[in-house]
């Protein structure tokens, strides 16, 4: 079992679905949703939340600053 | 009485800038106003008052340095001559849009293009009708003496900050280069940074936590907001028109014929009026001090008193004359006279024009 | 051990990264995936981390980032096209204890504002210039920029930039590094986590130099993407940037503490 558990919260309405966060994630947690937000963008979401290690890479490269990151040390 | 000195117009302007408590001058040399920056550099105003003097890489850079500094609430100015003033028009339009206070001087030379380095008054349209793009105005002061080159610096800064507007001292090569006695006003202390912060809450001086940030801009992509901003500007110009008109009447009480002139043309025209009076012609001089706002109402009042004719004398092909025509609205004859392209008319030429163009008919 | 739920993780005490308050909550006007947003964010993070925001005045350019003042939650001045270094000079000379920076694109800094850029650098103005180079004019619709690569297509070089007739791309960063007035010159990128961390370090160094009154101007170029102008997806644009922009505009420090290092 992982020593850390992480999670991200995406500001869905502000996400533009650029997908830059996807290759930045070392554990392939993120994908774009099939649903769209109010602007018609397929927003980023945690497809595999169990894999998130809270490294913040996705938030660091997010051009719109819509990702907030949490990390729990076990 | 203040300190008396024999000075060039350009030097008086520069000395007045230091004494007015200016925080900075940004300029670029051009004939016939290079003495302004030369004088400032030689006087070391940084030692005298802490004033910054910087020679920019171009007139464009200089006016944008003024824009930046003016946005922080500092008392700043620039100066140039006609071709350089054309380069500054972009910055002046932004200054008008962002409503920044600043002072600048144009020691006018003949144009168009590189023209000549000799005196001219052919930048009247550019000065009074906007100059750059967009619907805007600026206050234009026209000195007719070295004394006024000094006095109008103080007045200009006062008006600039009163209305958050660019004030132009529209001089010319004669006034800039001639030497006269000038009574200098006493040193006005520069505001401290803290005083600037307290006096000008709109200025970008650094946003304190929990306060609203200040933005200096002329941009708004929302056209309704931009229209409202333009209405606000027009209302400001109207207030200025109602309150800041300045002029001088010489021998106008009983005048049948009035010469309208400003700057060096006003000095020459004053002599022409004296020559006319000697010949029994009831002539007077309406000397404009503010070119914008224009003293149109005052001209109308004189018209009602029975003035038979107006001669607009200016060193141009006829620019100010259009405002005289608009002001008197056909109640009396209006003609233009002026040498231009760098030639200065003589009092005799002006008198001759008055007799030929106005009285002769 | 009980199952850990998202609710257990998403708690204030577990917060490790959130957007800085020095960015406003206004939605950025940039296209999806545009590096401007990241560059804005790390600039504001640096100001926050250095505690400089209360005495910083920023200068926004004309270009895509013309509205930078809408997003940067500090005192800002919007400059005419290319004139930001002159505007910043005016501010800094009147308020030498303030932190002053410009944020400019390639058209603003390397075309219409070349003179203002070079002379502010050459005078050694104690300001920071952040230069976003995406090789194209984004806001006006993808026209050729002074930094458009040879052969690169744009709406005004639809068959590719022909250097014979259109001239060569300009390496402003190498150019200003040669001037004695620059103290720190670096070229970075913001397309990957590692790149963002390096870029932020460079921007931090630049602002520290100004804070510490180091003699000269600090200049940080960020090679960025323009998905819309390049007509690519954000991911493809970042890949294209690595393969084409970086060989021409190599990343790394060029001048550190007033000494050329490259």
């Amino acid at each position: 079992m992982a020593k850390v558990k992480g999670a991200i919260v995406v500001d869905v309405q502000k996400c533009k679905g650029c997908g830059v966060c996807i290759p930045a994630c070392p554990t392939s947690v993120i994908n774009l949703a099939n649903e769209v937000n109010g602007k018609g963008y397929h927003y980023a979401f945690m497809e595999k939340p169990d894999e998130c290690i809270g490294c913040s890479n996705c938030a660091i490269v997010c051009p719109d600053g819509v990702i907030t990151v949490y990390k729990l040390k076990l | 009485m203040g300190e008396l000195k024999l000075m060039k117009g350009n030097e008086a302007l520069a000395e007045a800038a230091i004494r007015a408590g200016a925080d900075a001058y940004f300029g670029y040399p051009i004939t016939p106003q290079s003495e302004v920056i030369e004088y400032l550099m030689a006087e070391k105003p940084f030692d005298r008052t802490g004033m910054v003097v910087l020679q920019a890489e171009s007139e464009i850079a200089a006016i944008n340095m003024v824009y930046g500094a003016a946005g922080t609430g500092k008392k700043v100015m620039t100066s140039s001559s006609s071709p350089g003033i054309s380069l500054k028009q972009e910055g002046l339009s932004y200054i008008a849009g962002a409503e920044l206070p600043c002072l600048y001087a144009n020691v006018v030379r003949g144009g168009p293009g590189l023209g000549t380095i000799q005196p001219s008054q052919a930048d009247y349209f550019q000065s009074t009708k906007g100059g750059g793009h967009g619907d805007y105005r600026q206050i234009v002061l026209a000195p007719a003496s070295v004394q006024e080159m000094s006095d109008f610096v103080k007045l200009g800064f006062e008006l600039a900050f009163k209305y958050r507007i660019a004030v132009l001292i529209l001089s010319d090569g004669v006034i800039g280069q001639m030497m006269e006695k000038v009574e200098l006003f006493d040193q006005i202390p520069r505001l401290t940074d803290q005083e600037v912060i307290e006096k000008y809450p709109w200025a970008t001086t650094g946003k304190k936590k929990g306060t609203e940030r200040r933005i200096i801009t002329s941009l708004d992509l929302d056209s309704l907001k931009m229209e409202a901003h333009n209405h606000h500007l027009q209302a400001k110009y109207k207030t200025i028109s109602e309150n800041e008109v300045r002029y001088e009447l010489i021998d106008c009480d009983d005048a049948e014929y009035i010469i309208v002139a400003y700057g060096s043309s006003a000095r020459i025209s004053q002599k022409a009026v004296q020559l006319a009076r000697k010949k029994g012609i009831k002539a007077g001089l309406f000397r404009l001090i503010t070119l914008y706002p224009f003293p149109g109402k005052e001209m109308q009042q004189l018209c009602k008193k029975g003035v038979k004719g107006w001669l607009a004398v200016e060193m141009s092909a006829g620019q100010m004359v259009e405002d005289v025509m608009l002001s008197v609205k056909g109640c009396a004859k209006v003609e233009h006279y002026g040498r231009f392209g760098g030639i200065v008319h003589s009092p005799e030429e002006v008198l001759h024009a008055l007799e030929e163009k106005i009285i002769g008919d | 051990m009980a199952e850990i739920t998202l609710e257990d993780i998403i708690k204030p005490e577990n917060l490790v990264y959130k957007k800085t308050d020095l960015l406003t909550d206004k939605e950025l006007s940039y296209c999806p995936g545009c590096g401007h947003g990241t560059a804005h964010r790390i600039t504001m993070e640096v100001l926050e981390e250095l505690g400089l925001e209360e005495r910083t005045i920023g200068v926004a350019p004309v270009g895509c980032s013309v509205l930078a003042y809408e997003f940067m939650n500090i005192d800002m001045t919007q400059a005419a096209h290319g004139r930001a270094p002159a505007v910043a000079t005016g501010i800094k000379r009147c308020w030498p204890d303030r932190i002053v920076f410009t944020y400019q694109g390639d058209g603003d800094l390397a075309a219409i504002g070349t003179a203002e850029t070079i002379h502010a650098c050459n005078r050694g103005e104690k300001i920071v210039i952040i230069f976003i180079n995406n090789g194209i004019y984004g806001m006006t619709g993808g026209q050729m920029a002074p930094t458009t690569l040879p052969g690169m297509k744009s709406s005004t070089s639809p068959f590719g930039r022909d250097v014979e007739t259109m001239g060569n791309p300009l390496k402003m960063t190498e150019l200003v590094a040669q001037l004695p007035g620059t103290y720190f010159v670096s070229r970075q990128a913001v397309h990957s986590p590692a790149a963002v961390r390096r870029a932020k370090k460079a921007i931090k160094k630049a602002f520290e130099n100004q804070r510490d009154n180091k003699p000269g101007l600090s200049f940080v170029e960020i090679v960025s993407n323009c998905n819309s102008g390049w007509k690519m997806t954000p991911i493809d644009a970042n890949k294209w940037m690595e393969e084409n922009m970086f060989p021409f505009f190599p990343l790394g420090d060029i001048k550190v503490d007033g000494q050329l290092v490259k």
Side-chain angles (χ1 to χ4, degrees):
Chain A
M1 195 177 171
K3 288 246 164 53
V4 287
K5 286 281 288 176
I8 63 169
V9 176
V10 177
D11 186 338
V12 170
Q13 290 310 322
K14 281 190 181 164
C15 176
K16 292 175 184 161
C18 69
V20 172
C21 53
I22 297 171
C25 178
T27 52
S28 304
V29 171
I30 309 170
N31 208 339
L32 297 183
N34 287 325
E35 298 78 31
V36 293
N37 65 13
K39 293 229 162 62
Y41 290 123
H42 293 278
Y43 53 86
F45 81 115
M46 282 201 289
E47 191 177 50
K48 300 177 197 162
D50 291 347
E51 306 291 324
C52 180
I53 55 170
C55 70
S56 301
N57 274 4
C58 55
I60 284 168
V61 294
C62 173
D64 291 277
V66 302
I67 301 176
T68 306
V69 186
Y70 297 88
K71 188 161 148 180
L72 181 65
K73 281 185 185 143
L74 297 176
Chain B
M1 196 165 184
E3 188 184 348
L4 285 177
K5 263 194 166 179
L6 182 67
M7 297 181 102
K8 270 191 172 191
N10 288 335
E11 293 169 347
L13 179 100
E15 175 61 30
I18 302 171
R19 288 177 182 241
D23 296 300
Y25 170 93
F26 302 101
Y28 185 81
I30 181 172
T31 307
Q33 68 79 55
S34 297
E35 292 88 355
V36 178
I37 191 167
E38 287 171 353
Y39 182 94
L40 285 171
M41 286 294 187
E43 269 300 309
K44 296 184 181 171
F46 195 80
D47 292 341
R48 272 174 65 180
T49 66
M51 176 184 174
V52 172
V53 184
L54 181 62
Q55 181 171 334
E57 65 271 27
S58 67
E59 288 90 347
I60 298 171
I63 193 67
N64 281 285
M65 289 171 186
V66 167
Y67 174 89
T72 66
K74 294 281 182 171
K75 205 184 240 190
V76 288
M77 66 177 289
T78 184
S79 65
S80 188
S81 179
S82 308
I85 296 291
S86 291
L87 285 170
K88 290 185 194 290
Q89 294 305 325
E90 174 198 60
L92 288 163
S93 175
Y94 279 68
I95 283 168
E99 293 191 88
L100 300 182
C102 72
L103 181 68
Y104 76 108
N106 181 0
V107 183
V108 181
R109 58 190 253 185
L114 208 47
T116 168
I117 58 169
Q118 302 301 327
S120 168
Q121 294 180 313
D123 295 354
Y124 179 91
F125 283 153
Q126 184 195 54
S127 308
T128 60
K129 310 295 178 191
H133 60 281
D135 269 328
Y136 75 91
R137 300 286 183 150
Q138 57 194 5
I139 295 173
V140 184
L141 302 171
S145 62
V146 174
Q147 183 66 51
E148 286 184 340
M149 285 290 267
S150 167
D151 295 346
F152 288 179
V153 171
K154 190 176 166 189
L155 172 65
F157 273 128
E158 284 165 8
L159 294 171
F161 278 88
K162 185 175 176 186
Y163 295 103
R164 282 182 64 183
I165 195 168
V167 175
L168 164 60
I169 295 179
L170 188 71
S171 182
D172 62 61
V174 176
I175 307 293
Q177 291 295 327
M178 67 193 249
M179 291 189 91
E180 271 185 334
K181 180 180 76 178
V182 53
E183 183 186 345
L184 297 165
F185 55 87
D186 291 338
Q187 180 68 48
I188 299 166
R190 287 177 54 237
L191 294 183
T192 64
D193 286 356
Q194 195 52 38
E195 284 169 338
V196 170
I197 290 166
E198 285 163 14
K199 219 171 164 182
Y200 308 120
W202 48 265
T204 50
T205 54
K207 173 192 173 296
K208 296 283 171 255
K209 278 195 178 74
T211 63
E212 273 296 302
R213 71 190 193 282
R214 277 74 55 96
I215 297 168
I216 300 296
T217 185
S218 57
L219 174 73
D220 204 318
L221 297 175
D222 181 337
S223 297
L224 282 173
K225 284 188 190 162
M226 189 40 78
E227 188 186 40
H229 177 59
N230 269 273
H231 278 306
H232 161 73
L233 291 178
Q234 293 304 319
K236 177 166 87 174
Y237 303 149
K238 189 163 179 280
T239 306
I240 290 169
S241 298
E242 286 162 359
N243 296 292
E244 305 299 347
V245 167
R246 285 169 170 80
Y247 59 94
E248 183 186 9
L249 298 179
I250 296 169
D251 293 337
C252 284
D253 283 347
D254 62 340
E256 293 178 347
Y257 305 101
I258 293 183
I259 295 173
V260 186
Y262 66 92
S264 50
S265 277
R267 294 171 73 107
I268 295 158
S269 298
Q270 190 176 353
K271 182 67 187 173
V273 165
Q274 288 171 2
L275 295 175
R277 288 269 169 183
K278 272 186 194 163
K279 290 178 82 172
I281 300 166
K282 286 185 175 173
L285 173 66
F286 194 119
R287 177 168 85 92
L288 303 179
I289 294 174
T290 53
L291 305 187
Y292 185 88
F294 191 82
K297 280 181 198 155
E298 293 72 10
M299 286 182 184
Q300 280 170 33
Q301 282 160 10
L302 283 168
C303 249
K304 283 174 193 155
K305 281 172 70 180
V307 173
K308 293 177 187 165
W310 299 76
L311 183 67
V313 176
E314 46 182 331
M315 293 188 285
S316 73
Q319 300 188 13
M320 175 194 67
V321 65
E322 293 186 6
D323 284 335
V324 179
M325 285 175 175
L326 283 169
S327 300
V328 305
K329 294 190 173 80
C331 84
K333 188 172 187 185
V334 179
E335 290 287 345
H336 164 262
Y337 176 73
R339 301 288 301 271
F340 48 101
I343 301 289
V344 180
H345 29 242
S346 68
E348 291 75 16
E349 286 173 317
V350 173
L351 175 61
H352 184 70
L354 182 69
E355 291 176 313
E356 289 284 308
K357 292 187 163 193
I358 302 292
I359 305 169
D361 291 357
Chain C
M1 194 174 170
E3 181 88 0
I4 296 163
T5 65
L6 279 179
E7 286 70 38
D8 296 323
I9 307 171
I10 301 170
K11 286 177 177 171
E13 62 266 33
N14 297 331
L15 179 74
V16 287
Y17 191 94
K18 73 183 261 288
K19 179 180 76 78
T20 165
D21 290 337
L22 288 192
L23 284 175
T24 64
D25 289 328
K26 201 173 167 82
E27 197 171 315
L28 295 173
S29 52
Y30 305 110
C31 300
C34 173
H36 268 303
T38 310
H40 279 25
R41 183 164 43 78
I42 57 176
T43 302
M44 291 297 109
E45 283 175 2
V46 164
L47 289 177
E48 185 177 44
E49 286 165 22
L50 296 176
L52 297 174
E53 70 267 25
E54 290 200 354
R55 58 187 183 103
T56 299
I57 302 160
V59 182
V62 169
C64 287
S65 49
V66 66
L67 291 173
Y69 59 79
E70 295 272 333
F71 314 122
M72 296 177 173
N73 196 10
I74 54 170
D75 277 1
M76 295 281 292
T77 294
Q78 195 282 317
H81 199 19
R83 316 301 176 217
V87 172
T89 297
I91 298 171
K92 185 69 179 181
R93 290 292 180 118
C94 283
W95 295 85
D97 67 338
R98 294 301 194 269
I99 303 296
V100 182
F101 74 93
T102 72
Y103 184 99
Q104 304 173 255
D106 42 63
D108 193 270
L109 180 141
I112 193 165
T114 312
E116 285 79 3
T117 304
I118 287 182
H119 285 278
C121 288
N122 201 42
R123 282 193 303 267
E125 296 295 339
K126 290 170 183 166
I127 60 172
V128 170
I129 291 180
I130 296 168
F131 166 37
I132 309 297
N133 172 13
N134 57 14
I136 207 157
Y137 283 83
M139 188 179 70
T140 44
Q143 294 83 8
M144 185 177 70
T147 48
T148 298
L149 298 176
M152 185 174 164
K153 286 181 182 171
S154 74
S155 66
T156 51
S157 56
F159 308 106
R161 182 179 195 146
D162 173 12
V163 296
E164 291 280 318
T165 58
M166 299 168 178
N168 291 282
L170 194 52
K171 295 185 179 181
M172 277 300 272
T173 304
E174 278 81 356
L175 206 155
V176 301
Q178 302 303 316
L179 303 174
T182 50
Y183 187 75
F184 175 66
V185 179
S186 183
R187 181 185 283 123
Q188 301 293 338
V190 290
H191 64 303
S192 71
V196 174
R197 288 188 175 96
R198 283 193 293 268
K200 186 173 166 182
K201 204 175 144 196
I203 291 173
K204 194 169 203 168
K205 179 89 184 150
F207 279 103
E208 282 170 347
N209 287 338
Q210 188 178 165
R211 179 198 63 190
D212 299 341
N213 205 27
K214 297 291 187 196
L217 186 145
S218 292
F219 188 103
V220 180
E221 173 182 342
I222 294 182
V223 181
S224 189
N225 56 357
C226 179
N227 331 304
S228 300
W230 298 356
K231 306 191 192 311
M232 295 175 196
T233 66
I235 304 293
D236 287 348
N238 281 344
K239 191 160 176 286
W240 190 89
M241 178 171 70
E242 286 179 339
E243 290 168 358
N244 296 277
M245 295 282 279
F246 293 173
F248 194 87
F249 297 113
L251 306 187
D253 292 343
I254 298 171
K255 195 177 195 179
V256 178
D257 296 343
Q259 300 298 318
L260 287 169
V261 293
K262 214 185 219 174

